Amino acid sequence: MEYWLDKIFTFMLTHKLVTTLLLLFVMLGIKRLIVRLVRRRAKKRDEDKRPAVNAIKNVANMLLVVLILVLWSAEVQTLAFSIAAFMVAIVLAMREYIQCFTGFIYVTSARMFRVGDWIQVGEHYGEVIESDWLSLTLLEVHMETYEYSGKTLNVPNNLLITKPVKNLNFLKRYSTHSFTLTRDQSVNVFEFKQTLLNKARDYCEHFHDVALRYNNLIEKRLDVNISGPDPAIRITTNNLGDTETRITIFCPTEQAIDIEQKITEEFMTLWFATRDGNKHGDEA
């Protein structure tokens, strides 16, 4: 008896395809026989055996799948290892694309910006003109002059999760523009500081009311205090002993450079006038 059992077991392991077909035939036959008996019994007793029939079919199908998996366990294990190795290779080969897609999902869900916004990604500044699952297209902006450079930047989306991303959209209309004027210490800039400040206020007067409302809007949305809308002047010295005059204005972005040039012109006029006046005073 044991001899024949060993023979049968060896045959099953050696001829797995034939054994699988036999299992299918036997299990399906047993399932149909049991279902037929249950239905015949239910018909005689006038009972609804559909739940029992459904349960029998599910158990039989599950048992058949388990038996086939046990029979083919070695091959299934080898296949699983092959699939795992293949998936690892795919992940390694497409790592950058996966990171880009992850960055796209992150930015989309966080709603960090939209097309038309000014943003900063790492050290890159620009206006968003297109965004897809692979990259972000920016129209480069020089933040020193608030002007478009004419260059287009294609930023991979993986940088959106590895680099700081700043939304600069408020700067698109109004900006806190600061610039520094450096001269030697032959003139005391404090002598004409108030005059220069008055001139700066004059240049900013025509948009003062709008700037005030926009300034309040930014502070309310960001819940922070920002400088403005009135101009400010701060006088310091650098490590060479020269006088540095730092001027800050809150103005429309497109007018920032023009107002800077006007204030610079006023500064130079006052500086040279004060220096020449001091010379004449010394000679007298």
Side-chain angles (χ1 to χ4, degrees), residues 27 106 119 147 154 180 188-189 208 223 230 233 240 284:
M27 290 299 299
Y106 167 68
I119 67 169
E147 295 177 346
N154 289 315
T180 301
N188 182 5
V189 180
H208 182 269
D223 196 23
D230 295 324
I233 296 178
L240 299 177

PDB file of all heavy atoms in Angstrom, residues 27 106 119 147 154 180 188-189 208 223 230 233 240 284:
ATOM      1  N   MET A  27     -12.385  17.733  -8.498  1.00  0.00           N
ATOM      2  CA  MET A  27     -13.001  18.719  -7.618  1.00  0.00           C
ATOM      3  C   MET A  27     -14.284  19.277  -8.227  1.00  0.00           C
ATOM      4  O   MET A  27     -15.290  19.461  -7.526  1.00  0.00           O
ATOM      5  CB  MET A  27     -12.019  19.861  -7.352  1.00  0.00           C
ATOM      6  CG  MET A  27     -10.835  19.455  -6.480  1.00  0.00           C
ATOM      7  SD  MET A  27     -11.338  18.894  -4.837  1.00  0.00           S
ATOM      8  CE  MET A  27     -12.144  20.345  -4.199  1.00  0.00           C
ATOM      9  N   TYR A 106       2.175  65.592  -4.650  1.00  0.00           N
ATOM     10  CA  TYR A 106       2.322  66.400  -3.437  1.00  0.00           C
ATOM     11  C   TYR A 106       1.914  67.850  -3.682  1.00  0.00           C
ATOM     12  O   TYR A 106       1.141  68.438  -2.912  1.00  0.00           O
ATOM     13  CB  TYR A 106       3.774  66.323  -2.965  1.00  0.00           C
ATOM     14  CG  TYR A 106       4.138  67.336  -1.906  1.00  0.00           C
ATOM     15  CD1 TYR A 106       3.601  67.268  -0.629  1.00  0.00           C
ATOM     16  CD2 TYR A 106       5.019  68.377  -2.200  1.00  0.00           C
ATOM     17  CE1 TYR A 106       3.928  68.199   0.333  1.00  0.00           C
ATOM     18  CE2 TYR A 106       5.347  69.320  -1.242  1.00  0.00           C
ATOM     19  CZ  TYR A 106       4.805  69.221   0.024  1.00  0.00           C
ATOM     20  OH  TYR A 106       5.118  70.146   0.973  1.00  0.00           O
ATOM     21  N   ILE A 119       6.829  81.935  -8.311  1.00  0.00           N
ATOM     22  CA  ILE A 119       7.315  81.044  -7.263  1.00  0.00           C
ATOM     23  C   ILE A 119       8.835  80.999  -7.274  1.00  0.00           C
ATOM     24  O   ILE A 119       9.476  81.415  -8.250  1.00  0.00           O
ATOM     25  CB  ILE A 119       6.761  79.607  -7.412  1.00  0.00           C
ATOM     26  CG1 ILE A 119       7.310  78.940  -8.683  1.00  0.00           C
ATOM     27  CG2 ILE A 119       5.241  79.584  -7.402  1.00  0.00           C
ATOM     28  CD1 ILE A 119       7.027  77.460  -8.762  1.00  0.00           C
ATOM     29  N   GLU A 147      11.854  91.694 -13.741  1.00  0.00           N
ATOM     30  CA  GLU A 147      11.619  91.613 -15.170  1.00  0.00           C
ATOM     31  C   GLU A 147      11.843  90.182 -15.649  1.00  0.00           C
ATOM     32  O   GLU A 147      12.628  89.430 -15.066  1.00  0.00           O
ATOM     33  CB  GLU A 147      12.566  92.563 -15.930  1.00  0.00           C
ATOM     34  CG  GLU A 147      12.336  94.044 -15.630  1.00  0.00           C
ATOM     35  CD  GLU A 147      13.330  94.929 -16.342  1.00  0.00           C
ATOM     36  OE1 GLU A 147      14.340  94.390 -16.850  1.00  0.00           O
ATOM     37  OE2 GLU A 147      13.116  96.156 -16.384  1.00  0.00           O
ATOM     38  N   ASN A 154      12.785  74.469 -17.084  1.00  0.00           N
ATOM     39  CA  ASN A 154      12.068  73.211 -16.881  1.00  0.00           C
ATOM     40  C   ASN A 154      12.587  72.570 -15.596  1.00  0.00           C
ATOM     41  O   ASN A 154      13.715  72.080 -15.557  1.00  0.00           O
ATOM     42  CB  ASN A 154      12.260  72.267 -18.069  1.00  0.00           C
ATOM     43  CG  ASN A 154      11.527  72.745 -19.310  1.00  0.00           C
ATOM     44  OD1 ASN A 154      10.372  73.139 -19.226  1.00  0.00           O
ATOM     45  ND2 ASN A 154      12.193  72.727 -20.448  1.00  0.00           N
ATOM     46  N   THR A 180      20.509  99.573  -1.671  1.00  0.00           N
ATOM     47  CA  THR A 180      21.514 100.213  -0.818  1.00  0.00           C
ATOM     48  C   THR A 180      22.409 101.118  -1.649  1.00  0.00           C
ATOM     49  O   THR A 180      22.899 100.714  -2.711  1.00  0.00           O
ATOM     50  CB  THR A 180      22.363  99.156  -0.094  1.00  0.00           C
ATOM     51  OG1 THR A 180      21.511  98.323   0.692  1.00  0.00           O
ATOM     52  CG2 THR A 180      23.393  99.817   0.820  1.00  0.00           C
ATOM     53  N   ASN A 188      27.923 113.622   5.974  1.00  0.00           N
ATOM     54  CA  ASN A 188      27.031 113.048   6.977  1.00  0.00           C
ATOM     55  C   ASN A 188      25.642 112.929   6.355  1.00  0.00           C
ATOM     56  O   ASN A 188      24.920 113.916   6.195  1.00  0.00           O
ATOM     57  CB  ASN A 188      26.988 113.932   8.226  1.00  0.00           C
ATOM     58  CG  ASN A 188      26.112 113.339   9.321  1.00  0.00           C
ATOM     59  OD1 ASN A 188      25.606 112.221   9.189  1.00  0.00           O
ATOM     60  ND2 ASN A 188      25.921 114.089  10.388  1.00  0.00           N
ATOM     61  N   VAL A 189      25.254 111.720   6.018  1.00  0.00           N
ATOM     62  CA  VAL A 189      23.985 111.489   5.330  1.00  0.00           C
ATOM     63  C   VAL A 189      22.800 111.875   6.201  1.00  0.00           C
ATOM     64  O   VAL A 189      21.724 112.222   5.693  1.00  0.00           O
ATOM     65  CB  VAL A 189      23.887 110.008   4.888  1.00  0.00           C
ATOM     66  CG1 VAL A 189      22.557 109.736   4.173  1.00  0.00           C
ATOM     67  CG2 VAL A 189      25.044 109.654   3.962  1.00  0.00           C
ATOM     68  N   HIS A 208      -0.323 105.457  -2.893  1.00  0.00           N
ATOM     69  CA  HIS A 208      -0.244 105.196  -1.454  1.00  0.00           C
ATOM     70  C   HIS A 208      -1.486 104.472  -0.938  1.00  0.00           C
ATOM     71  O   HIS A 208      -1.392 103.498  -0.172  1.00  0.00           O
ATOM     72  CB  HIS A 208      -0.035 106.507  -0.683  1.00  0.00           C
ATOM     73  CG  HIS A 208       0.095 106.303   0.799  1.00  0.00           C
ATOM     74  ND1 HIS A 208      -1.001 106.338   1.647  1.00  0.00           N
ATOM     75  CD2 HIS A 208       1.183 106.050   1.586  1.00  0.00           C
ATOM     76  CE1 HIS A 208      -0.606 106.108   2.889  1.00  0.00           C
ATOM     77  NE2 HIS A 208       0.716 105.940   2.870  1.00  0.00           N
ATOM     78  N   ASP A 223      -0.729  86.557   7.949  1.00  0.00           N
ATOM     79  CA  ASP A 223      -0.712  86.696   9.404  1.00  0.00           C
ATOM     80  C   ASP A 223       0.676  87.106   9.898  1.00  0.00           C
ATOM     81  O   ASP A 223       1.188  86.587  10.889  1.00  0.00           O
ATOM     82  CB  ASP A 223      -1.139  85.380  10.074  1.00  0.00           C
ATOM     83  CG  ASP A 223      -1.510  85.585  11.539  1.00  0.00           C
ATOM     84  OD1 ASP A 223      -1.850  86.728  11.915  1.00  0.00           O
ATOM     85  OD2 ASP A 223      -1.447  84.605  12.319  1.00  0.00           O
ATOM     86  N   ASP A 230       4.718 102.944   3.807  1.00  0.00           N
ATOM     87  CA  ASP A 230       5.551 104.147   3.819  1.00  0.00           C
ATOM     88  C   ASP A 230       7.019 103.790   3.612  1.00  0.00           C
ATOM     89  O   ASP A 230       7.507 102.779   4.140  1.00  0.00           O
ATOM     90  CB  ASP A 230       5.395 104.889   5.150  1.00  0.00           C
ATOM     91  CG  ASP A 230       3.979 105.422   5.342  1.00  0.00           C
ATOM     92  OD1 ASP A 230       3.380 105.846   4.332  1.00  0.00           O
ATOM     93  OD2 ASP A 230       3.479 105.393   6.484  1.00  0.00           O
ATOM     94  N   ILE A 233      14.188 104.576   5.597  1.00  0.00           N
ATOM     95  CA  ILE A 233      15.616 104.749   5.317  1.00  0.00           C
ATOM     96  C   ILE A 233      16.405 104.342   6.549  1.00  0.00           C
ATOM     97  O   ILE A 233      16.090 104.758   7.667  1.00  0.00           O
ATOM     98  CB  ILE A 233      15.941 106.211   4.935  1.00  0.00           C
ATOM     99  CG1 ILE A 233      15.231 106.573   3.626  1.00  0.00           C
ATOM    100  CG2 ILE A 233      17.449 106.411   4.782  1.00  0.00           C
ATOM    101  CD1 ILE A 233      15.452 108.018   3.200  1.00  0.00           C
ATOM    102  N   LEU A 240      34.379  98.454   5.497  1.00  0.00           N
ATOM    103  CA  LEU A 240      35.411  99.338   4.943  1.00  0.00           C
ATOM    104  C   LEU A 240      35.295 100.762   5.480  1.00  0.00           C
ATOM    105  O   LEU A 240      36.105 101.621   5.139  1.00  0.00           O
ATOM    106  CB  LEU A 240      35.319  99.361   3.410  1.00  0.00           C
ATOM    107  CG  LEU A 240      35.517  98.012   2.707  1.00  0.00           C
ATOM    108  CD1 LEU A 240      35.323  98.180   1.207  1.00  0.00           C
ATOM    109  CD2 LEU A 240      36.899  97.436   3.014  1.00  0.00           C
ATOM    110  N   ALA A 284      35.594 129.267   3.957  1.00  0.00           N
ATOM    111  CA  ALA A 284      35.252 130.552   4.574  1.00  0.00           C
ATOM    112  C   ALA A 284      35.821 130.649   5.983  1.00  0.00           C
ATOM    113  O   ALA A 284      36.272 131.686   6.419  1.00  0.00           O
ATOM    114  CB  ALA A 284      33.739 130.729   4.606  1.00  0.00           C
TER     115      ALA A 284
END
